[in-house]
Amino acid sequence: MAATETLTAERILEATEEVLRRYGPAKATVVDVARVLGVSHGSVYRHFRTKAALREAVTERWLERTIVALVPYVEAEGPADERLTGWLTALFALKRKKAGGDPELMATFQVLIGENSAVVDRHEEHLVEQIARILEDGHREGLFAAPERDVKATARAVFDATDRFHNPAHAADWSAPDAEDAFTAVVSLVQRALKA
Amino acid sequence: MAATETLTAERILEATEEVLRRYGPAKATVVDVARVLGVSHGSVYRHFRTKAALREAVTERWLERTIVALVPYVEAEGPADERLTGWLTALFALKRKKAGGDPELMATFQVLIGENSAVVDRHEEHLVEQIARILEDGHREGLFAAPERDVKATARAVFDATDRFHNPAHAADWSAPDAEDAFTAVVSLVQRALKA
DNA sequence: GCGATGACAGATTTCAATATCTGTCACTCC
DNA sequence: GGAGTGACAGATATTGAAATCTGTCATCGC
């Protein structure tokens, strides 16, 4: 179907996502992807060297979306402490919505994440950079104390301290009734630590 | 072997641990446990209603050991802030040693933990209580600021913020070269947040 | 010429038959 | 009398043969 369109990496990635969504990470095959696209599986291998590379690219695309969704919170108006809380809240809300809205898709995603730790490491770096930018502004505004070491290390500490509220490994805990309170408590702990 | 000794819950738990250690969580059976003890599997069911109950008891015992090992750090001499750092460091070191020393055993343990979230919840409660005790002392000593809500909530926030360094789900990260630095950074973040 | 194909070898997965395990209970034997 | 047994039914796991998948590449056809 739609065999008239040229076969691009982009179209293959979309089809792969659909197949992963439909069959899950264990049963999604390259043959399935090719079938969705109406081509032979050999054609898929023209764009991606291996099945692993294809899955990695999907993972990357997926994570990239989170980064993009958070940009507005990095560039928001207002004092840096509020922006930090806004950013952390947005990240938690985003992850929680995904996990709660489609638990199966989340499970699929978690498998992909487990397979591609290098991609995840780079993703975490990006998130830490977003925190660091807010922290720098806060320091400039006189809201946050000078970091003990460098801003990046502090940003990483903030990221690690809130890990329980964005790491998919903890997705199961996010539906607990006191998850919101626990999140608020950790954020206010972090805010007190940063305060000038 | 040693069939002369009476069959106690304690002996069954020890045998179960041995079987779990040797065969892993997937292949450890009640029949194996009975074989180690030199009894019929029916006898095991006299002490534990189900295989699940048996595994739960093993998990509980295992977690209890961590609590006991940490008591000296709760009751240590010295200022509360140092005691808190000591306690957190001890917990991280304990977990890291177990994870690094025998990864397979750790994987087994993680499966048990996944099966028995109620037991884990109670365990976390105990750990949070240990933190709360140190926090109370720190408040009395004038080292820690008055908690925004109750001490328990703050203790839980400290526990959550350091999650990445004691939750077995993150065991894989603990061997990274910068794990130690990341831990220190989060602990110093927490300390700044608590400071009076 | 170049993107697409499909047959192929070796690796992995599926499926159904077989074996083992879980949990029960009437029984044994001290 | 009560701890311990082992045969049993239903559930779960193992196994090996057959099917499918991955990745390659000589070939096709536009």
Side-chain angles (χ1 to χ4, degrees):
Chain A
M1 44 195 91
T4 51
E5 283 179 62
T6 33
L7 188 62
T8 62
E10 184 62 22
R11 284 189 61 222
I12 293 173
L13 288 176
E14 255 154 41
T16 307
E17 244 190 82
E18 190 189 323
V19 168
L20 280 166
R21 218 179 279 272
R22 205 182 318 163
Y23 302 129
K27 288 196 191 164
T29 73
V30 175
V31 171
D32 289 331
V33 173
R35 194 170 14 242
V36 165
L37 291 165
V39 298
S40 79
H41 74 280
S43 301
V44 174
Y45 280 99
R46 226 157 238 304
H47 291 84
F48 296 93
R49 272 205 329 292
T50 63
K51 182 188 183 183
L54 181 55
R55 281 168 167 252
E56 190 180 300
V58 168
T59 309
E60 205 157 13
R61 232 166 80 108
W62 219 319
L63 293 173
E64 181 62 21
R65 277 179 211 153
T66 299
I67 302 287
V68 170
L70 288 172
V71 166
Y73 295 91
V74 177
E75 298 176 346
E77 297 293 315
D81 54 354
E82 283 173 22
R83 280 164 59 210
L84 179 63
T85 295
W87 187 91
L88 289 168
T89 306
L91 179 56
F92 184 35
L94 216 72
K95 295 289 183 98
R96 209 153 73 133
K97 191 177 147 202
K98 263 186 196 159
D102 194 340
E104 271 188 62
L105 186 60
M106 195 67 181
T108 295
F109 191 37
Q110 258 172 272
V111 171
L112 290 188
I113 279 177
E115 282 171 3
N116 298 286
S117 53
V119 172
V120 174
D121 284 353
R122 257 179 288 143
H123 172 68
E124 288 192 357
E125 275 300 308
H126 289 153
L127 290 174
V128 169
E129 270 160 29
Q130 291 194 336
I131 297 176
R133 262 198 276 165
I134 300 178
L135 257 41
E136 272 161 9
D137 290 347
H139 180 43
R140 219 174 291 128
E141 292 166 19
L143 282 169
F144 293 151
E148 286 190 354
R149 300 189 178 201
D150 56 341
V151 178
K152 195 78 173 287
T154 307
R156 165 59 73 172
V158 170
F159 183 78
D160 285 346
T162 53
D163 191 83
R164 193 159 194 167
F165 305 103
H166 49 68
N167 191 323
H170 294 113
D173 299 338
W174 298 339
S175 54
D178 55 352
E180 196 79 42
D181 285 348
F183 172 72
T184 309
V186 169
V187 169
S188 91
L189 194 82
V190 166
Q191 289 283 9
R192 265 194 284 168
L194 295 172
K195 199 163 289 168
Chain B
M1 44 196 87
T4 51
E5 281 179 65
T6 32
L7 187 63
T8 61
E10 184 62 22
R11 284 188 62 220
I12 293 173
L13 288 175
E14 256 155 41
T16 306
E17 245 190 79
E18 190 189 322
V19 168
L20 281 166
R21 220 179 276 270
R22 207 184 314 167
Y23 302 128
K27 288 196 190 165
T29 71
V30 176
V31 171
D32 289 331
V33 172
R35 194 169 15 244
V36 165
L37 291 164
V39 298
S40 79
H41 74 280
S43 301
V44 173
Y45 280 98
R46 234 161 229 303
H47 291 85
F48 295 92
R49 270 205 332 289
T50 63
K51 183 188 183 183
L54 181 56
R55 280 168 167 250
E56 190 181 301
V58 168
T59 308
E60 205 157 14
R61 233 166 78 108
W62 218 319
L63 293 173
E64 180 62 21
R65 278 180 210 149
T66 299
I67 302 286
V68 170
L70 288 173
V71 168
Y73 295 91
V74 178
E75 298 177 344
E77 297 293 317
D81 55 354
E82 284 174 21
R83 278 163 60 209
L84 179 63
T85 296
W87 186 92
L88 289 168
T89 307
L91 179 56
F92 184 35
L94 216 72
K95 295 288 183 97
R96 209 150 73 134
K97 192 177 147 201
K98 263 186 195 158
D102 193 340
E104 271 188 64
L105 186 59
M106 195 68 182
T108 295
F109 192 37
Q110 260 172 269
V111 171
L112 290 189
I113 278 176
E115 283 171 2
N116 298 285
S117 53
V119 172
V120 173
D121 285 352
R122 257 179 289 143
H123 172 68
E124 287 192 358
E125 274 299 308
H126 288 152
L127 290 174
V128 169
E129 270 161 29
Q130 290 194 338
I131 297 176
R133 261 197 276 166
I134 300 178
L135 257 41
E136 272 161 10
D137 290 348
H139 180 43
R140 218 173 292 126
E141 291 165 19
L143 282 169
F144 292 151
E148 286 190 356
R149 299 187 179 201
D150 57 339
V151 179
K152 196 75 172 290
T154 308
R156 166 57 73 172
V158 170
F159 183 77
D160 286 346
T162 53
D163 190 82
R164 195 162 192 166
F165 305 103
H166 49 68
N167 191 324
H170 294 112
D173 299 337
W174 297 339
S175 54
D178 54 353
E180 196 79 43
D181 285 349
F183 172 73
T184 309
V186 170
V187 169
S188 90
L189 194 82
V190 167
Q191 289 284 7
R192 266 195 283 170
L194 296 172
K195 201 164 286 167

